[in-house]
Amino acid sequence: MRACIDIGGTKVSVSLNDAARPLELLATRHEPTAHSGPPEAVALQCIRMVDEACAELRVDPAVVQAVGVAAPGPFVMRGDCIELATPNICGGLPGSGRQLPNDWRTAPIEAPLRRRFTRVRVENDAVAALEAERLWGALQGVEHCAYVTWSTGVGCGLCVGGKVLRGKNGNAGHLGHAFVSDNDQVVCGCGNVGDLEALVGGNSLERRLGEPAAALFARAAQGDAKALAMVDELCRVMGRALYDITAILDLQRISLGGPVFLMNQALLLPRLSTELHSHLPSMTEGCELVPAGLGRRTGDFGALALVG
Ligand SMILES: [Zn+2]
């Protein structure tokens, strides 16, 4: 038995998995992410939820010694252990400007889990999803690839030569905070003005449009010219980001997931592909964009892929 933990800014999900039955998540439970108490509150919440899942399955908690954790970045390292410096979890980050009932500058995750479990792997949630796509989804057998999620934000995991890129603090692939346009009208949750996530992330889109992003896509799907022009603009910006990672890493395939993409695939995929392939054909001709093979479940299997 191993534990799969998915930490988000608003919710924590915990499941158990029996190694003999891959892709089966057991005793899954969700709770709002702990936002008060000591900085270790999130890690302690995860450990308690694993114990509760064990109780539900009547499994001795001591048999669960491996855990995979998918968590939002950015990460910082203390010693050789990952701590979260995530703006919507840590209220004490300089300039966070958020109304969170804590003054945490970081939330230690890996160190508390290492006191409880013998095998712990913590990765950025998009990196975890990339691992899931490589094991069971659209990136199986592809050595040079990326997973990009277009959701409330934009996340990315990168793999070159069969090796998943981590970076000095496990933050490789923070594509959402790259600059691909000189639009300076919108501020990202990270504080950047006009980065990719500020321009196309679902949360930011709702603020820009003054309506749910789904309403824009519904009008575009019905052929509304103004809505289609906006979708074209979004795809130009996102498509440039996909071109950038392709040019930098010489990728073969990019798997696209996240609710904004998956729910509007028919509109978005051809436009993104046109933008990607409109630059430097010698680099982009060999790169294909595909929908995530695991679809809407890509995120669910991320933490499992880390202990798989
Ligand atoms: Zn940003």
Side-chain angles (χ1 to χ4, degrees), residues 154 174-179 187-198:
V154 174
H174 268 64
L175 182 63
H177 310 296
F179 292 100
V187 181
C188 178
C190 75
N192 281 342
V193 179
D195 67 13
L196 176 63
E197 187 164 307

Side-chain angles (χ1 to χ4, degrees), residues 70-129:
F75 297 159
V76 295
M77 301 294 288
R78 189 180 302 265
D80 56 359
C81 286
I82 287 171
E83 302 190 343
L84 307 185
T86 311
N88 54 3
I89 292 178
C90 301
L93 288 169
S96 93
R98 286 172 179 75
Q99 302 302 314
L100 290 169
N102 71 65
D103 59 357
W104 309 337
R105 295 178 74 90
T106 63
I109 292 295
E110 193 169 355
L113 292 178
R114 287 199 179 281
R115 293 197 288 270
R116 161 67 176 80
F117 302 95
T118 51
R119 193 154 69 87
V120 178
R121 186 170 169 207
V122 183
E123 295 286 0
N124 175 272
D125 41 22
V127 172

Side-chain angles (χ1 to χ4, degrees), residues 179 181-188 192-195 198-199 208:
F179 292 100
S181 159
D182 57 5
N183 183 327
D184 59 0
Q185 307 294 306
V186 264
V187 181
C188 178
N192 281 342
V193 179
D195 67 13
L199 293 172
R208 280 174 77 190

